[in-house]
Amino acid sequence: MVQPKEDRRIQRTRQSLSTALLKLIEERGYDSLTVNDITEQANIGRATFYLHYEDKEQLLLESLEDMFSQLGDSIAPTAKVTGEHNSITATRLVFQHFADHHRLYRVLLTEKGAVMVFTRLLKILSQVAEQDVILKDVEQPKTGIPTHLVAHYVTGAILGLIVWWLNNDRPYSPEQMAVIYGHLMDPGATKVLGIAGAQLPDLSDVLSKR
Amino acid sequence: MVQPKEDRRIQRTRQSLSTALLKLIEERGYDSLTVNDITEQANIGRATFYLHYEDKEQLLLESLEDMFSQLGDSIAPTAKVTGEHNSITATRLVFQHFADHHRLYRVLLTEKGAVMVFTRLLKILSQVAEQDVILKDVEQPKTGIPTHLVAHYVTGAILGLIVWWLNNDRPYSPEQMAVIYGHLMDPGATKVLGIAGAQLPDLSDVLSKR
Amino acid sequence: MVQPKEDRRIQRTRQSLSTALLKLIEERGYDSLTVNDITEQANIGRATFYLHYEDKEQLLLESLEDMFSQLGDSIAPTAKVTGEHNSITATRLVFQHFADHHRLYRVLLTEKGAVMVFTRLLKILSQVAEQDVILKDVEQPKTGIPTHLVAHYVTGAILGLIVWWLNNDRPYSPEQMAVIYGHLMDPGATKVLGIAGAQLPDLSDVLSKR
Amino acid sequence: MVQPKEDRRIQRTRQSLSTALLKLIEERGYDSLTVNDITEQANIGRATFYLHYEDKEQLLLESLEDMFSQLGDSIAPTAKVTGEHNSITATRLVFQHFADHHRLYRVLLTEKGAVMVFTRLLKILSQVAEQDVILKDVEQPKTGIPTHLVAHYVTGAILGLIVWWLNNDRPYSPEQMAVIYGHLMDPGATKVLGIAGAQLPDLSDVLSKR
DNA sequence: TCCTAAGCGAGACGGTACGTCTTGTCTTCCA
DNA sequence: TGGAAGACAAGACGTACCGTCTCGCTTAGGA
């Protein structure tokens, strides 16, 4: 069942490239990087790069995929819990994720970044959000608004917050952001979905702990 | 008072380039375009391009700037009206704007697009939104949440909706989208800002007219 | 019969261009000069240049034409004199000419120069030389060697000397060069042409005056 | 002892470029050629050209260098022979060389040529000639004329003949040209150098075999 | 223990786009 | 009307990067 050693060697090469890319993105943004920059940073021959990836975009996607699925995995369980604070827990985990990789995301989500990051995030997060919406929708009467639409609304709002948060050096903790988000979002989307909002901590209490 | 003819000639050249770029973006996306593609489409010498713009990114920004300011101008007046439906009017105008240029934005806001479009839109729209938020904030007690933050929240949510809307061939009219947005947003953000929401048309009434 | 003022103005423009070109050649060679360099030096609009000349080569040729014909004019009369030292006088005048414009020719006849200068000089000087050869040939029995050939031989030899002379900062006076040339050339070519050489000053006398 | 294959590949590329250049020069002259013309003719990528040469001038020089050294090698041994006809043998070899590449040189030495060809030829040939002059000078009393000067004289004369010869479709054989040159040159330069001329075939005998 | 196939570094190469430079043409305006 | 100013098309320049390729080196896994 063990992987042959050859494969481990390959994994090391791919890992080096991935690490090198993420490091360079933090330093110099994504667009201006060349394949040569990446392979040099990784101490890998340029030709070798093309044995593993078609282009730097594919490398980025595969590199992010890890992080994304990691994010998805951490949120997924919360969706099944119908307890009171599940929603706030999920959003807190989202903010936590972006905080964990803040240097990287700050670059990717602003001017030196890559188009597809926004798009991908919107798609991936909205799928997660949709699961959530559907779950609640099943329990409660529908409102006629497509769940996809609500999911994009919710996700867009979160990403808007995250961009602001990262660009302003995260003046609040992930928990605080989650509470703020809850207060902004809950009454509206919740009402539309016809369900009662979760119990949220008092807003001014939370903000004062800044 | 008339512009010398030289200047008009220059304007015509710049206009040709701008038009050519936007047309090509709709057809082939932004990233893969070359300066040569653009100048060829515009029937302009490639060297001439560099007399006017540093690179295609600058051309795109200047081209979009027109549209953005056009959008800003159409929304601005509504911000000063404190009548009931001002907010819904403003958001309707936003959706209308993206509908007017839907082919272009659909490309720019998805995978073949340009990085900075998201960023710019977020910045520009959130500035407009902020004016709105501030206006309301002045009238009512503050909540301690930075207006920048709320503005990004609002803007992100709208952009989320717009991405969904464009990717799904705009199944609702701009008016309908504005009402949906109002229902999703109003109770939450409005409550946080401590003011009463505007009177919104009934949601099911609006959706049934699809 | 006087030239209208306009024409004099034209002449001034052409003169400026010519002067500017020759000045710049001395400083920077010919090949690397641009039309812009020339018109800038001459304080003339670049477009104006093209009203008068097709390209910088034509300007150079016309500029050199003056000097060449000036050289031709000074030599011509000596060809008709059959007195003893006519030959040495003619060659002295040739060396004198190159000394007069030594900075210019040094550039043109070496690495930064223009192809056609060598060719043109060879053609023009050999035509003059041919006149000389023919004159003598008429007086004396032919040898069967084409006069063109002899003329090119003679001219090539002189140009070889001139290149050496200019490249070595003219260590001898034009007169000395003419005598040297006479001693190197006279017995050979003269014998072939079947005529007696002119009386030449003693070589060591001449060289010692260096 | 064999060259690694890489190096042979490089040599093939360089050879292709060299061959292509010389071919194109014969057809279209030198000045008007572009790097693209050359690489296209050689079936080489334009960028690859710049891996090997800085510009087309350097390529020309390296290409000519081969031929020049080939010429030098063929003449060199004759300089050491003090037998009677060594001089005529050397000059015959020079004329032979230009005959071998007459199409190329005809273009290079006339209006469509390259500046540096004259200069280089003058320099290279005069160095060879100088060896010859020095050799003879050593055996005989000096005359006070710098050997450089004599070498340039001799070389210029030969180049003059060659230009005429090539421009007139080589009406004489290299041997005939060598004899003509010998008759024109020998008495003069030889006398100056203070040595007896070699035995030359009778001029009219040689010319009649045309 | 050797040997043999795979991963890899090195780098030549064709190709494409870049941004710059120069040319020659044109148009407008000024003296 | 001659010239200055300068926009423009055309096209070559030299550079940068891409993706492909061929070549040896090394290095493990199976003989």
Side-chain angles (χ1 to χ4, degrees):
Chain A
M1 204 63 269
V2 272
Q3 286 289 30
K5 284 196 177 175
E6 279 302 334
D7 285 15
R8 271 189 257 143
R9 194 175 163 197
I10 292 179
Q11 282 318 305
R12 264 201 31 243
T13 298
R14 297 172 75 97
Q15 188 56 48
S16 299
L17 288 170
S18 187
T19 307
L21 173 64
L22 297 183
K23 171 149 184 276
L24 287 176
I25 286 177
E26 294 183 4
E27 293 171 1
R28 301 173 29 200
Y30 171 76
D31 254 6
S32 73
L33 296 180
T34 71
V35 172
N36 200 36
D37 292 334
I38 300 166
T39 54
E40 220 160 72
Q41 169 76 30
N43 267 316
I44 297 278
R46 196 164 66 88
T48 305
F49 177 94
Y50 292 102
L51 293 179
H52 298 285
Y53 304 98
E54 285 193 356
D55 47 32
K56 69 169 179 167
E57 182 165 326
Q58 193 191 330
L59 170 58
L60 176 61
L61 285 181
E62 295 203 11
S63 300
L64 293 182
E65 215 61 42
D66 294 346
M67 299 196 335
F68 289 167
S69 60
Q70 179 184 329
L71 168 62
D73 293 351
S74 70
I75 301 176
T78 72
K80 292 166 187 159
V81 179
T82 45
E84 290 190 345
H85 287 140
N86 66 330
S87 189
I88 208 170
T89 303
T91 48
R92 189 185 58 76
L93 288 172
V94 171
F95 284 105
Q96 186 62 54
H97 172 81
F98 285 90
D100 290 345
H101 308 283
H102 63 95
R103 279 193 306 277
L104 177 65
Y105 279 119
R106 176 158 183 181
V107 174
L108 285 178
L109 293 180
T110 52
E111 302 183 359
K112 297 155 135 187
V115 212
M116 77 281 217
V117 177
F118 241 111
T119 314
R120 287 265 157 169
L121 276 174
L122 204 53
K123 185 178 288 180
I124 290 172
L125 287 177
S126 72
Q127 280 167 353
V128 176
E130 204 177 330
Q131 301 276 335
D132 211 48
V133 170
I134 287 171
L135 259 182
K136 292 177 177 163
D137 211 26
V138 165
E139 305 164 3
Q140 304 288 338
K142 298 171 190 272
T143 64
I145 302 182
T147 54
H148 279 41
L149 185 155
V150 179
H152 273 80
Y153 170 86
V154 166
T155 313
I158 289 196
L159 285 178
L161 286 182
I162 285 169
V163 167
W164 173 88
W165 195 44
L166 296 179
N167 275 338
N168 289 276
D169 294 321
R170 290 163 293 123
Y172 300 115
S173 68
E175 289 79 9
Q176 287 175 309
M177 288 305 291
V179 172
I180 291 173
Y181 167 79
H183 277 279
L184 285 167
M185 175 66 72
D186 235 35
T190 304
K191 182 202 69 177
V192 168
L193 293 171
I195 58 174
Q199 300 289 107
L200 286 171
D202 188 62
L203 189 54
S204 42
D205 278 7
V206 169
L207 292 186
S208 62
K209 292 180 211 154
R210 188 199 302 207
Chain B
M1 204 66 265
V2 272
Q3 284 287 31
K5 285 197 176 175
E6 277 301 333
D7 285 16
R8 269 189 259 144
R9 193 176 165 196
I10 292 179
Q11 283 318 307
R12 262 198 36 240
T13 297
R14 297 172 78 96
Q15 188 55 49
S16 299
L17 288 170
S18 186
T19 307
L21 173 64
L22 298 183
K23 171 149 183 273
L24 286 177
I25 286 177
E26 293 183 5
E27 292 171 1
R28 299 174 30 201
Y30 171 76
D31 253 7
S32 74
L33 296 180
T34 71
V35 172
N36 199 35
D37 292 335
I38 300 166
T39 54
E40 219 160 72
Q41 169 75 31
N43 267 316
I44 297 277
R46 195 164 68 89
T48 304
F49 177 94
Y50 292 101
L51 291 180
H52 297 286
Y53 304 98
E54 286 193 356
D55 47 32
K56 67 170 180 168
E57 182 166 325
Q58 192 191 332
L59 170 57
L60 175 62
L61 284 181
E62 294 204 12
S63 300
L64 293 182
E65 215 60 41
D66 292 346
M67 299 197 335
F68 289 167
S69 61
Q70 178 184 330
L71 168 61
D73 292 351
S74 70
I75 301 176
T78 72
K80 292 166 187 162
V81 179
T82 45
E84 290 190 343
H85 286 142
N86 65 330
S87 188
I88 210 171
T89 302
T91 48
R92 189 185 57 76
L93 287 173
V94 171
F95 285 105
Q96 185 62 53
H97 172 81
F98 285 90
D100 290 345
H101 308 284
H102 64 95
R103 278 193 305 277
L104 177 64
Y105 279 118
R106 176 157 183 184
V107 175
L108 285 179
L109 293 180
T110 51
E111 299 179 3
K112 297 156 135 184
V115 205
M116 78 286 247
V117 176
F118 259 106
T119 314
R120 285 268 157 168
L121 277 174
L122 206 53
K123 184 178 289 180
I124 289 173
L125 287 177
S126 71
Q127 279 168 352
V128 176
E130 205 177 328
Q131 301 278 334
D132 213 48
V133 171
I134 288 171
L135 258 182
K136 292 175 179 164
D137 211 25
V138 165
E139 304 165 4
Q140 303 289 337
K142 297 170 191 273
T143 64
I145 302 183
T147 53
H148 280 41
L149 184 156
V150 179
H152 273 79
Y153 170 84
V154 167
T155 312
I158 288 198
L159 285 178
L161 286 183
I162 284 169
V163 168
W164 174 88
W165 195 43
L166 296 178
N167 274 338
N168 289 276
D169 295 321
R170 290 162 294 124
Y172 300 114
S173 68
E175 288 80 8
Q176 287 175 310
M177 288 304 291
V179 172
I180 291 172
Y181 167 80
H183 276 278
L184 286 167
M185 175 66 72
D186 235 34
T190 304
K191 183 202 69 177
V192 168
L193 293 171
I195 58 173
Q199 299 289 107
L200 285 172
D202 188 63
L203 189 55
S204 43
D205 278 7
V206 169
L207 293 186
S208 62
K209 291 181 211 154
R210 186 199 305 206
Chain C
M1 205 64 268
V2 272
Q3 287 291 28
K5 283 194 179 177
E6 279 304 336
D7 284 16
R8 268 191 258 143
R9 194 175 163 197
I10 293 179
Q11 283 318 305
R12 267 204 25 246
T13 298
R14 297 172 76 97
Q15 188 56 48
S16 300
L17 288 170
S18 187
T19 307
L21 173 64
L22 297 182
K23 172 149 183 275
L24 286 176
I25 286 177
E26 293 183 5
E27 293 170 1
R28 300 174 29 201
Y30 171 77
D31 254 7
S32 73
L33 297 180
T34 71
V35 172
N36 199 34
D37 292 334
I38 300 166
T39 54
E40 219 160 72
Q41 169 76 32
N43 267 316
I44 297 276
R46 195 166 64 87
T48 306
F49 176 94
Y50 292 101
L51 294 179
H52 297 286
Y53 303 97
E54 285 192 356
D55 47 32
K56 69 170 180 169
E57 182 165 327
Q58 193 190 330
L59 170 58
L60 175 62
L61 285 181
E62 294 203 12
S63 300
L64 293 182
E65 215 60 42
D66 293 347
M67 300 196 335
F68 289 167
S69 61
Q70 178 184 329
L71 168 61
D73 291 352
S74 71
I75 302 175
T78 72
K80 292 167 188 161
V81 179
T82 46
E84 290 188 344
H85 287 142
N86 65 330
S87 188
I88 208 173
T89 302
T91 47
R92 190 186 55 77
L93 288 171
V94 171
F95 284 104
Q96 187 61 54
H97 172 80
F98 285 90
D100 291 345
H101 308 283
H102 64 95
R103 278 193 307 276
L104 178 64
Y105 279 117
R106 175 158 184 183
V107 175
L108 284 179
L109 293 179
T110 52
E111 302 183 359
K112 296 154 134 185
V115 214
M116 78 280 217
V117 176
F118 241 112
T119 314
R120 287 265 156 169
L121 275 174
L122 203 54
K123 185 178 286 181
I124 289 172
L125 287 178
S126 73
Q127 279 168 353
V128 176
E130 204 178 331
Q131 302 276 335
D132 212 49
V133 171
I134 288 171
L135 259 180
K136 292 175 179 166
D137 209 26
V138 165
E139 302 165 5
Q140 305 287 339
K142 300 170 187 276
T143 64
I145 302 183
T147 52
H148 279 41
L149 185 157
V150 179
H152 273 79
Y153 170 85
V154 167
T155 312
I158 288 197
L159 285 177
L161 286 182
I162 284 169
V163 168
W164 173 88
W165 195 44
L166 297 178
N167 275 338
N168 290 275
D169 293 323
R170 289 162 295 123
Y172 299 115
S173 69
E175 289 79 9
Q176 287 175 308
M177 288 304 291
V179 173
I180 291 172
Y181 167 79
H183 277 277
L184 286 167
M185 175 65 72
D186 235 34
T190 306
K191 183 202 69 174
V192 168
L193 293 171
I195 58 172
Q199 299 289 108
L200 285 171
D202 188 63
L203 190 55
S204 42
D205 278 8
V206 169
L207 292 185
S208 62
K209 291 180 211 155
R210 188 197 304 204
Chain D
M1 200 70 265
V2 273
Q3 284 287 32
K5 285 197 176 175
E6 278 300 333
D7 285 15
R8 272 190 256 143
R9 192 176 166 199
I10 292 179
Q11 282 318 306
R12 263 200 34 240
T13 298
R14 296 172 78 97
Q15 189 56 49
S16 299
L17 288 170
S18 188
T19 306
L21 174 64
L22 298 183
K23 172 149 183 274
L24 286 176
I25 287 177
E26 293 183 5
E27 292 171 3
R28 299 174 29 200
Y30 171 76
D31 254 7
S32 74
L33 296 180
T34 70
V35 172
N36 199 36
D37 292 335
I38 300 166
T39 54
E40 219 159 72
Q41 169 76 31
N43 267 316
I44 297 276
R46 193 163 68 89
T48 304
F49 177 94
Y50 292 102
L51 290 180
H52 298 285
Y53 304 98
E54 285 193 356
D55 46 32
K56 67 172 180 167
E57 183 165 324
Q58 194 191 330
L59 170 58
L60 175 62
L61 284 181
E62 294 203 13
S63 300
L64 293 182
E65 215 62 40
D66 292 347
M67 299 196 336
F68 290 165
S69 61
Q70 178 184 330
L71 168 61
D73 291 351
S74 71
I75 301 176
T78 71
K80 293 166 187 161
V81 180
T82 44
E84 291 188 343
H85 287 143
N86 66 330
S87 188
I88 209 173
T89 301
T91 48
R92 190 186 57 76
L93 288 171
V94 171
F95 285 104
Q96 186 62 53
H97 172 80
F98 285 90
D100 291 344
H101 307 284
H102 63 96
R103 279 193 305 277
L104 178 64
Y105 279 119
R106 176 158 182 181
V107 175
L108 285 179
L109 294 179
T110 52
E111 299 179 2
K112 296 156 135 182
V115 205
M116 78 288 248
V117 177
F118 259 107
T119 314
R120 287 266 157 168
L121 276 174
L122 206 53
K123 183 178 288 181
I124 289 172
L125 287 177
S126 72
Q127 280 168 351
V128 177
E130 204 178 329
Q131 302 278 335
D132 212 47
V133 170
I134 289 171
L135 258 181
K136 292 177 179 164
D137 210 25
V138 166
E139 305 165 3
Q140 305 288 337
K142 298 170 188 275
T143 64
I145 301 184
T147 53
H148 280 40
L149 184 155
V150 179
H152 273 79
Y153 170 85
V154 166
T155 311
I158 288 197
L159 285 178
L161 286 182
I162 284 168
V163 168
W164 173 88
W165 194 43
L166 296 178
N167 274 338
N168 290 275
D169 293 322
R170 289 162 295 123
Y172 300 114
S173 70
E175 288 80 7
Q176 288 175 308
M177 289 303 291
V179 173
I180 291 172
Y181 168 80
H183 277 278
L184 286 168
M185 176 66 71
D186 235 34
T190 304
K191 184 203 68 176
V192 168
L193 293 171
I195 58 171
Q199 299 289 107
L200 284 172
D202 188 62
L203 189 55
S204 41
D205 278 7
V206 170
L207 292 187
S208 63
K209 292 181 209 152
R210 187 198 307 203

